[in-house]
Amino acid sequence: MVLKSFIEVEAKSHFPIQNLPFGVFKPEPSSEARPGVAIGDFVLDLLVVSKAGLFDGPILGNSDCFFQPNLNKFLELGRPAWKEARSSLQNLLSATEPKLRDNVNLRDKALVPMCKVQMALPVAIGDYTDFFCSMHHAKNCGLIFRGPATPINPNWFSLPIAYHGRASSIVVSGTDITRPKGQCHPTENSLPYFGPSRKLDFELEMAAVVGPGNELGKPISVDKAADHIFGLILMNDWSARDIQAWEYVPLGPFLGKSFGTTISPWIVTLDALEPFTCGAPMQDPPPLPYLAENEPKNYDISLEVLVKPSGEEESHTVTRSNFKHLYWTITQQLSHHTINGCNLRPGDILGTGTISGPEPDSLGCLLELTWNGTKSLCLGGATRKFLEDGDEVTLTGYCKVRVL
Amino acid sequence: MVLKSFIEVEAKSHFPIQNLPFGVFKPEPSSEARPGVAIGDFVLDLLVVSKAGLFDGPILGNSDCFFQPNLNKFLELGRPAWKEARSSLQNLLSATEPKLRDNVNLRDKALVPMCKVQMALPVAIGDYTDFFCSMHHAKNCGLIFRGPATPINPNWFSLPIAYHGRASSIVVSGTDITRPKGQCHPTENSLPYFGPSRKLDFELEMAAVVGPGNELGKPISVDKAADHIFGLILMNDWSARDIQAWEYVPLGPFLGKSFGTTISPWIVTLDALEPFTCGAPMQDPPPLPYLAENEPKNYDISLEVLVKPSGEEESHTVTRSNFKHLYWTITQQLSHHTINGCNLRPGDILGTGTISGPEPDSLGCLLELTWNGTKSLCLGGATRKFLEDGDEVTLTGYCKVRVL
Ligand SMILES: [Ca+2]
Ligand SMILES: [Ca+2]
Ligand SMILES: [Mg+2]
Ligand SMILES: [Mg+2]
Ligand code: NI
């Protein structure tokens, strides 16, 4: 029998009782931020649930991890605590459990309509890393910037390439992004261009949120890496392609990326994603032993990007991709990150890199979709090569329930 | 007349009353970390000074900024607070002021012998950026890795190149660093090497510590940048050259750097450094308007790196350089960093990049000194191409008082 909640959840909702993603919200603009989970059109207030003594398991019973303005303390507790929270909450919200269902007073306090809350960053982010794990994306970028000789650098197949991103400018979904100013390539014999970026782009990414970290000097083995990942978020790694192209040799992307990165307010846990695991891609050459997993797995998550052009009413889907297209798994990413002894901390974010698929309509950014602005994309009446002022970009993802 | 302290300070001490660098320390291993300033062979405990009501100026009189385990809150207050603290402390420590000098009880509590304290990271570091501002270093790296055609990329002369480093693995001076494992270039037809780095290096750097930050989307103009810099620290950006060489194309350094970065416990304020300013280098081509300063200035800080080879008694000077060799000023670095709207936060660290001078004995890392291991460096009886296990590296810097 399928688990059901006493809260009515529409069939097309992203937040059935099987999901229960974690976030941080303010019930009213003046309230303190506190943890919550999404259920249907409501946010369940975990501060209220905790105060009511409804977390009564061995780990969370006496913890103040939900009396916090972010999820870092909860994340630090690790998977046993996460599983305990999930099972307590699925029980509390289930159709057959009266504790919350029949307590009108408590329900009024604990369940806040989603349309009324203000979402905040779910974690305090110590460090943000961005990987480069889609082969299709790597190949297309190589073709565009370096030509057909060796579009993908040989190191790409030996290790999950990554760079450090800017943590301070990560914002929660809904925050306006200001078009960055910067320097771009000079045209022949002239000074570098300086002004607003003319190639503003989105990047369809997801990111792993780190749970328990590791000590400096103590790598995490690839087969233990999953225990250090709480869940996944959606991430839009806004990029100014013209600034990036001029600055990135030899030390990598800097100001072309650091003006803003948007993440989803909700973290979907790996436990919720477990039914949607799938095989990982064949890796050729086989990974070095420290990256070879006992059970390599990927996740079948459908992803979509929609753009609502400035001044128009409707959003248009510009790409349909899938998390499973990633060549390097999130556990390989995390383990590689620590192989040199680098320490991760709870709340750190590991972006996957742009998730492009093999088809022309599955490419994860405008750079690829318009081939660096050499062709236009139709969005109803409007056309776009790159983003224009006032455009709205929406990333969304879902896992399909298998019909039994 | 030269300002003197009632505390005896040896002529060769780095900590006369004219310096007064800020740090964070524990008087005993079990005490809470708190701010302090260095004076001669003592640390003045600012928590004690604050509790005794000896900060009586308009800004610090009612502030709890020294009741903190790091300097972030003090840094956020900005230069007026820093100047007030400096003047209160120079007064309190001066030979002619009896308040502390003649209060044996208070002196016992407030002045802790430096040999007894345990220093901690002076700031909580939100983001760490590393620039690439020495032309000599850029040129040598280009010659070593890309050859004589264009050792320095054209963008280098138009903007201060930088990348984001890893904040979590920044440690305070004295912390052991573990030789990182990682992947390195395959030799022909073979797999990539995997194992302990065989090219472990230091990098002689300094770093600016950010005071008040800026809002996302609001750049800091180059002529206001100095107000956002509290002071300078010494920084050793440990680097694994073989890991770096294999991984860094196209997204820049990652695991070749992130296994550890050592900073000095003491932050020397820009106010203390003011007597040691000097002209900034001529920039050709002239910087774009947003990087053009009214009064470009640099700092005349003598820098030295010493290596004590494992098992030997003595340290040997391997390089003598100077901060004034930097091509881009710290104010240009900071302003460029924000030109795209990127927000800085109090406690952020902006490394200068390796500070190499023009002479063969002024190069800031072994990569340059041994020309990527093609020649050896003599250290008394020992020789080195790169660092060996048990070696100790010391960075030091000083400004010479002008003899009047
Ligand atoms: Ca970004
Ligand atoms: Ca380092
Ligand atoms: Mg990206
Ligand atoms: Mg460096
Ligand atoms: Ni960071």
Side-chain angles (χ1 to χ4, degrees):
Chain A
M1 217 189 75
V2 175
L3 183 67
K4 275 200 66 173
S5 176
F6 66 85
I7 295 168
E8 197 101 25
V9 179
E10 286 183 75
K12 68 175 179 39
S13 170
H14 284 200
F15 305 124
I17 192 169
Q18 287 76 15
N19 188 355
L20 299 185
F22 286 75
V24 165
F25 75 107
K26 294 181 177 188
E28 325 244 330
S30 62
S31 9
E32 307 249 309
R34 78 274 312 270
V37 300
I39 174 78
D41 294 330
F42 293 89
V43 179
L44 177 67
D45 187 328
L46 299 186
L47 178 59
V48 171
V49 172
S50 213
K51 279 183 175 164
L54 296 171
F55 287 111
D56 51 7
I59 305 174
L60 299 174
N62 285 303
S63 170
D64 64 351
C65 67
F66 296 128
F67 292 62
Q68 307 291 334
N70 57 53
L71 291 165
N72 294 54
K73 199 160 180 181
F74 175 55
L75 267 52
E76 189 166 9
L77 294 174
R79 178 138 291 115
W82 310 336
K83 284 200 183 287
E84 187 179 307
R86 180 170 171 82
S87 116
S88 295
L89 291 169
Q90 282 194 328
N91 177 54
L92 189 66
L93 291 166
S94 77
T96 55
E97 169 57 50
K99 248 186 270 173
L100 181 61
R101 185 192 66 195
D102 298 350
N103 186 335
V104 179
N105 216 342
L106 187 60
R107 269 175 52 180
D108 269 4
K109 280 205 299 184
L111 288 163
V112 191
M114 202 174 269
C115 58
K116 290 202 174 164
V117 309
Q118 191 183 317
M119 299 304 298
L121 280 181
V123 282
I125 301 162
D127 279 290
Y128 150 46
T129 304
D130 203 12
F131 283 85
F132 189 50
C133 290
S134 153
M135 187 170 65
H136 311 290
H137 176 63
K139 187 178 172 188
N140 291 328
C141 291
L143 286 171
I144 290 168
F145 287 125
R146 285 193 309 273
T150 47
I152 307 186
N153 220 46
N155 60 1
W156 194 91
F157 293 97
S158 287
L159 51 84
I161 294 283
Y163 67 100
H164 289 114
R166 180 81 193 173
S168 70
S169 56
I170 297 178
V171 296
V172 74
S173 181
T175 308
D176 284 343
I177 296 291
T178 303
R179 179 182 296 271
K181 288 205 179 84
Q183 285 192 34
C184 312
H185 262 110
T187 44
E188 212 162 329
N189 297 323
S190 80
L191 291 174
Y193 166 83
F194 177 77
S197 168
R198 296 175 293 192
K199 291 190 173 180
L200 187 58
D201 201 355
F202 60 79
E203 286 193 321
L204 168 62
E205 302 197 24
M206 289 191 78
V209 182
V210 174
N214 60 307
E215 254 179 80
L216 190 59
K218 302 266 163 67
I220 296 169
S221 76
V222 72
D223 287 318
K224 295 224 168 94
D227 286 343
H228 295 265
I229 301 175
F230 175 64
L232 296 179
I233 51 178
L234 288 163
M235 185 169 100
N236 182 351
D237 178 18
W238 303 97
S239 299
R241 300 304 183 187
D242 42 0
I243 296 173
Q244 184 184 350
W246 173 231
E247 75 177 355
Y248 90 105
V249 176
L251 299 184
F254 182 53
L255 301 187
K257 300 279 192 178
S258 64
F259 58 93
T261 304
T262 300
I263 63 172
S264 62
W266 297 112
I267 308 174
V268 177
T269 64
L270 287 200
D271 291 317
L273 289 166
E274 190 58 31
F276 309 101
T277 52
C278 60
M282 242 281 286
Q283 297 181 326
D284 180 23
L288 288 181
Y290 84 94
L291 289 173
E293 302 183 89
N294 284 334
E295 297 178 70
K297 64 186 181 189
N298 221 336
Y299 295 89
D300 183 357
I301 307 171
S302 298
L303 297 168
E304 230 174 278
V305 180
L306 299 103
V307 175
K308 185 158 91 60
S310 175
E312 307 224 347
E313 293 297 302
E314 240 184 291
S315 286
H316 300 266
T317 298
V318 296
T319 199
R320 283 191 176 85
S321 187
N322 194 301
F323 191 87
K324 72 181 176 197
H325 294 313
L326 294 173
Y327 183 88
W328 295 101
T329 65
I330 52 174
T331 37
Q332 288 177 321
Q333 291 168 43
L334 184 136
S335 181
H336 178 69
H337 202 316
T338 67
I339 189 62
N340 69 343
C342 179
N343 55 328
L344 303 178
R345 294 177 293 189
D348 284 352
I349 298 275
L350 313 186
T352 57
T354 305
I355 306 175
S356 294
E359 298 88 15
D361 59 352
S362 67
L363 305 174
C365 59
L366 291 173
L367 177 76
E368 292 172 78
L369 286 163
T370 71
W371 215 252
N372 198 16
T374 58
K375 53 192 186 191
S376 287
L377 207 63
C378 281
L379 307 169
T383 61
R384 286 291 182 274
K385 291 180 170 175
F386 287 97
L387 294 170
E388 296 188 6
D389 289 353
D391 287 354
E392 266 181 52
V393 179
T394 302
L395 273 55
T396 185
Y398 56 89
C399 295
K400 281 192 204 102
V401 179
R402 288 153 201 169
V403 181
L404 301 175
Chain B
M1 218 190 74
V2 175
L3 183 65
K4 276 200 66 173
S5 176
F6 66 84
I7 295 169
E8 197 100 22
V9 179
E10 284 183 76
K12 69 176 176 42
S13 169
H14 284 199
F15 305 126
I17 192 169
Q18 286 76 15
N19 189 355
L20 300 185
F22 286 75
V24 164
F25 75 107
K26 293 179 178 190
E28 326 244 328
S30 63
S31 11
E32 308 248 308
R34 79 274 312 271
V37 300
I39 175 79
D41 295 330
F42 293 89
V43 179
L44 178 67
D45 186 328
L46 298 186
L47 178 60
V48 171
V49 172
S50 214
K51 279 183 176 165
L54 295 171
F55 286 111
D56 51 8
I59 306 173
L60 300 173
N62 285 304
S63 170
D64 64 351
C65 68
F66 297 126
F67 291 63
Q68 308 290 335
N70 57 53
L71 291 165
N72 294 53
K73 199 159 178 182
F74 175 54
L75 267 52
E76 190 167 9
L77 294 175
R79 178 138 292 117
W82 310 336
K83 283 199 183 285
E84 187 181 307
R86 181 171 170 81
S87 115
S88 295
L89 292 168
Q90 282 194 328
N91 177 53
L92 188 67
L93 290 166
S94 77
T96 54
E97 169 58 50
K99 249 186 269 174
L100 181 61
R101 186 192 65 194
D102 298 349
N103 186 334
V104 179
N105 217 341
L106 187 61
R107 269 174 55 179
D108 269 5
K109 283 204 298 184
L111 289 163
V112 191
M114 202 173 268
C115 58
K116 292 203 173 164
V117 308
Q118 191 184 316
M119 299 303 299
L121 279 181
V123 281
I125 301 162
D127 279 289
Y128 150 46
T129 305
D130 202 12
F131 283 85
F132 187 50
C133 289
S134 153
M135 187 169 65
H136 310 290
H137 176 64
K139 186 177 173 190
N140 291 328
C141 291
L143 287 170
I144 290 169
F145 287 124
R146 286 194 309 275
T150 46
I152 306 187
N153 219 47
N155 61 1
W156 194 91
F157 293 97
S158 286
L159 51 85
I161 295 282
Y163 68 100
H164 290 114
R166 180 81 192 173
S168 69
S169 55
I170 297 178
V171 296
V172 74
S173 182
T175 308
D176 283 344
I177 296 291
T178 303
R179 180 182 297 270
K181 288 206 180 82
Q183 286 193 33
C184 312
H185 263 108
T187 44
E188 216 165 323
N189 298 323
S190 81
L191 291 173
Y193 166 83
F194 177 78
S197 168
R198 297 176 293 193
K199 291 190 173 179
L200 188 58
D201 200 355
F202 60 79
E203 287 193 320
L204 167 62
E205 302 198 23
M206 291 190 79
V209 182
V210 174
N214 60 309
E215 255 178 80
L216 189 60
K218 302 265 163 69
I220 297 169
S221 75
V222 72
D223 287 319
K224 296 225 167 94
D227 286 342
H228 295 264
I229 301 174
F230 175 63
L232 295 179
I233 50 178
L234 289 163
M235 184 169 101
N236 182 349
D237 178 19
W238 303 97
S239 299
R241 299 303 182 186
D242 42 0
I243 296 173
Q244 184 184 349
W246 174 231
E247 75 177 355
Y248 90 105
V249 175
L251 300 183
F254 182 52
L255 301 187
K257 300 279 192 177
S258 64
F259 58 92
T261 304
T262 300
I263 64 172
S264 62
W266 297 112
I267 308 174
V268 177
T269 64
L270 288 199
D271 290 318
L273 289 167
E274 189 58 31
F276 308 101
T277 53
C278 60
M282 240 283 286
Q283 296 181 326
D284 180 23
L288 288 180
Y290 83 94
L291 290 173
E293 302 183 89
N294 283 335
E295 296 179 70
K297 64 185 179 189
N298 221 336
Y299 294 89
D300 183 356
I301 307 172
S302 299
L303 297 167
E304 231 173 278
V305 180
L306 299 102
V307 175
K308 185 159 90 59
S310 175
E312 307 225 347
E313 293 297 301
E314 240 184 290
S315 286
H316 300 267
T317 298
V318 297
T319 199
R320 284 191 175 85
S321 187
N322 194 301
F323 191 87
K324 72 181 176 196
H325 293 314
L326 294 173
Y327 183 89
W328 294 102
T329 65
I330 51 174
T331 37
Q332 287 177 321
Q333 292 167 44
L334 184 137
S335 181
H336 178 67
H337 202 317
T338 67
I339 189 62
N340 68 343
C342 178
N343 54 328
L344 304 178
R345 295 178 292 190
D348 284 352
I349 297 276
L350 313 185
T352 56
T354 305
I355 306 174
S356 293
E359 300 88 14
D361 59 351
S362 67
L363 305 173
C365 59
L366 291 172
L367 177 76
E368 293 171 78
L369 287 163
T370 72
W371 214 252
N372 199 16
T374 58
K375 52 191 188 192
S376 288
L377 207 63
C378 282
L379 306 168
T383 62
R384 286 291 182 274
K385 289 178 170 175
F386 287 98
L387 294 170
E388 296 188 6
D389 290 354
D391 287 354
E392 268 181 50
V393 178
T394 302
L395 274 55
T396 185
Y398 56 89
C399 296
K400 282 194 205 100
V401 179
R402 287 156 202 167
V403 181
L404 300 177

